[in-house]
Amino acid sequence: MSSSSTLILICIILVSSCSWPFLSLAQSSSNPKALLLYRTPLVDIKLVADIGGQHLWVDCDKPYVSSTYKPLGCKTTVCNDARSDTCSYCYINGTAPKPGCYKNTCQVYPDNSITHIATPGQVGQDVISLNSTNGFNPSKVVTVRNFTFACGNNIVLDGLAKGAVGMAGFGRTKVALPTQFATAFGFAKKFATCLPAVIFLGDGPYGFELNHQFTSDSLSFTPLITNPRSTATAYKFGEPSYEYFINVTSIKIDEKAVSLNKTLLTIYDTEGGYGGTKISSVNPYTVLESSIFKAVSNAFIKAAAARNITRVKAVSPFEVCFSSKNILSTRFGPSVPFIELVLHDGKTTWQFWGANSMVYVNDNVLCLAFVNGGLNPRTSIVIGGYQLEDHLVQFDLEKKRVGFSGLLYGYQTTCSNFNSTSIA
């Protein structure tokens, strides 16, 4: 497991009741789609995947039984890695200590990035295991014995998908999943999402059925930028963001630039961390600041009208909808104007075709899959989960960049075509 080309695979499924991805952490390696094991003895739990989350947290108010759980004492190196500067003194009242309730334990704030609720929680360590892969097939189960995570409570569960007991963070921190596994096994600090099916920890090749494979050389890259102020619900004053921000310089519809306030595309308020563009798996659809949304919508409506596409009454939460009557189906999804995010150098673009820009709300109506974020949101553009689907997106923490494949339909494959069943 020391080779830098070795990957760790986590299988992600989408819950039918919501649009954000869901990690299935399962109790037995005999289940081919249950690729991540947790605690001693192993239990079956579900977590919502948060690309920008700072750590893994679970609800410890529910019975948390594990013979390998360890609380972390205050002011330890691991506590510092977890960005803790507070000591927790849980009031035990004569009862035995339990996960989430020990004395003199370092404290963080598990953050529900969907509802934006955070509560104090203790930091602990436990066993976590998952399937490795050669990039094409699942392989043997590998284990991190002292995986650092946070104990939340049932208050921060509100708003999560049914059955979820926490969130798994993939952000730019020392205790997020990518860094902990990279440190434990010596592979590159990279991970790649291919929603709604799979997340890879480590470098490629990333293989799919029908002999399709992708490496870093297959992707277009744009630099990661750092928001100097955290956009999380709970954070230390002056702390930078650990989420994934990129530099969008303009937006095009059918290759025509949209007229908009480009100041909003920058992090224009460095004291408050306002503006810019980030990538999110917890927002179901891309969210645009109000003036950007109106500019993009108007340009899209105009381009659609030129294709004889008829606008119809909006269907919440979407504001721009069309009749499906004159919209043809193509291998890239509905034949509608395509949207481009123009990136750092003015040449690199991230394209979104009909498969990622339109949602069928019924057989007769499609809606533009972007939502209005209102005036003065913390982040001007939040690229959501629907736009990430069937795009292979690599987050390279070492080179501080994000790579993307474009829509995999163009390669005659999808993210669901990763072989998650046949063992290598």
Side-chain angles (χ1 to χ4, degrees):
M1 292 299 300
S2 62
S3 171
S4 62
S5 63
T6 300
L7 299 172
I8 299 296
L9 167 68
I10 298 175
C11 184
I12 298 178
I13 59 173
L14 281 179
V15 184
S16 60
S17 60
C18 68
S19 296
W20 43 78
F22 206 13
L23 292 179
S24 181
L25 315 186
Q27 61 184 14
S28 171
S29 60
S30 64
N31 182 340
K33 291 193 177 183
L35 301 177
L36 202 155
L37 322 175
Y38 194 51
R39 306 180 193 174
T40 307
L42 303 173
V43 295
D44 184 354
I45 69 172
K46 294 177 180 178
L47 301 175
V48 171
D50 182 2
I51 287 175
Q54 63 178 316
H55 48 227
L56 185 151
W57 65 262
V58 298
D59 175 18
C60 292
D61 279 353
K62 294 182 178 180
Y64 185 113
V65 179
S66 176
S67 63
T68 48
Y69 175 85
K70 295 186 297 185
L72 288 177
C74 300
K75 299 181 180 180
T76 60
T77 299
V78 179
C79 280
N80 290 333
D81 289 345
R83 304 158 87 124
S84 170
D85 58 4
T86 306
C87 205
S88 175
Y89 296 90
C90 183
Y91 183 64
I92 297 174
N93 194 25
T95 62
K98 61 180 183 179
C101 190
Y102 280 80
K103 292 183 178 179
N104 304 323
T105 303
C106 65
Q107 176 179 288
V108 292
Y109 288 84
D111 177 8
N112 182 327
S113 50
I114 297 169
T115 60
H116 304 292
I117 294 173
T119 61
Q122 292 190 349
V123 180
Q125 291 182 328
D126 212 334
V127 170
I128 192 169
S129 302
L130 46 77
N131 283 85
S132 61
T133 174
N134 60 8
F136 297 90
N137 305 91
S139 186
K140 64 181 180 180
V141 172
V142 295
T143 298
V144 175
R145 296 290 175 189
N146 297 304
F147 184 86
T148 303
F149 72 102
C151 272
N153 56 45
N154 53 23
I155 296 174
V156 282
L157 291 181
D158 291 346
L160 297 188
K162 184 178 180 181
V165 297
M167 303 187 80
F170 291 80
R172 301 165 72 178
T173 72
K174 293 181 179 180
V175 294
L177 270 80
T179 298
Q180 287 204 63
F181 273 92
T183 301
F185 295 103
F187 56 71
K189 292 181 181 178
K190 302 178 182 181
F191 73 98
T193 64
C194 205
L195 304 183
V198 64
I199 294 179
F200 300 96
L201 300 182
D203 204 352
Y206 310 114
F208 297 86
E209 292 176 358
L210 303 179
N211 201 32
H212 292 290
Q213 72 174 43
F214 297 86
T215 66
S216 295
D217 292 339
S218 311
L219 309 177
S220 298
F221 282 92
T222 190
L224 281 169
I225 62 175
T226 300
N227 188 329
R229 293 292 180 265
S230 176
T231 57
T233 304
Y235 57 92
K236 301 176 186 178
F237 179 75
E239 181 179 54
S241 175
Y242 38 76
E243 297 177 287
Y244 295 96
F245 280 79
I246 59 174
N247 184 11
V248 172
T249 59
S250 65
I251 300 174
K252 292 182 178 180
I253 307 291
D254 271 354
E255 299 185 320
K256 294 182 179 179
V258 177
S259 178
L260 48 80
N261 181 358
K262 291 190 177 181
T263 298
L264 297 172
L265 302 180
T266 67
I267 299 173
Y268 60 88
D269 178 356
T270 56
E271 289 298 317
Y274 282 82
T277 300
K278 71 179 180 181
I279 302 171
S280 168
S281 59
V282 298
N283 288 81
Y285 304 98
T286 291
V287 182
L288 303 176
E289 183 274 340
S290 183
S291 69
I292 298 175
F293 176 83
K294 291 176 182 177
V296 169
S297 296
N298 289 338
F300 192 91
I301 292 166
K302 182 177 179 180
R307 297 184 181 212
N308 200 29
I309 298 173
T310 304
R311 190 177 177 188
V312 298
K313 184 179 179 180
V315 179
S316 181
F318 309 110
E319 295 186 17
V320 178
C321 298
F322 301 92
S323 167
S324 62
K325 184 177 180 181
N326 293 329
I327 300 178
L328 301 177
S329 294
T330 73
R331 67 171 178 157
F332 294 100
S335 180
V336 296
F338 69 94
I339 300 171
E340 292 177 280
L341 300 182
V342 182
L343 301 174
H344 62 288
D345 58 2
K347 298 177 182 178
T348 305
T349 65
W350 195 347
Q351 297 181 344
F352 298 100
W353 300 87
N356 295 108
S357 67
M358 304 300 290
V359 174
Y360 275 95
V361 295
N362 57 52
D363 289 341
N364 300 314
V365 177
L366 298 87
C367 296
L368 184 63
F370 292 74
V371 296
N372 191 334
L375 294 171
N376 301 315
R378 193 71 178 277
T379 305
S380 298
I381 300 176
V382 181
I383 301 173
Y386 189 77
Q387 279 63 47
L388 298 177
E389 288 190 11
D390 291 307
H391 290 241
L392 180 69
V393 183
Q394 185 189 73
F395 299 82
D396 186 337
L397 282 71
E398 294 178 349
K399 294 184 178 179
K400 299 180 181 179
R401 62 181 187 170
V402 176
F404 48 91
S405 64
L407 184 62
L408 293 185
Y409 294 2
Y411 301 91
Q412 297 183 321
T413 191
T414 69
C415 289
S416 297
N417 281 341
F418 175 77
N419 181 5
S420 61
T421 58
S422 299
I423 304 299

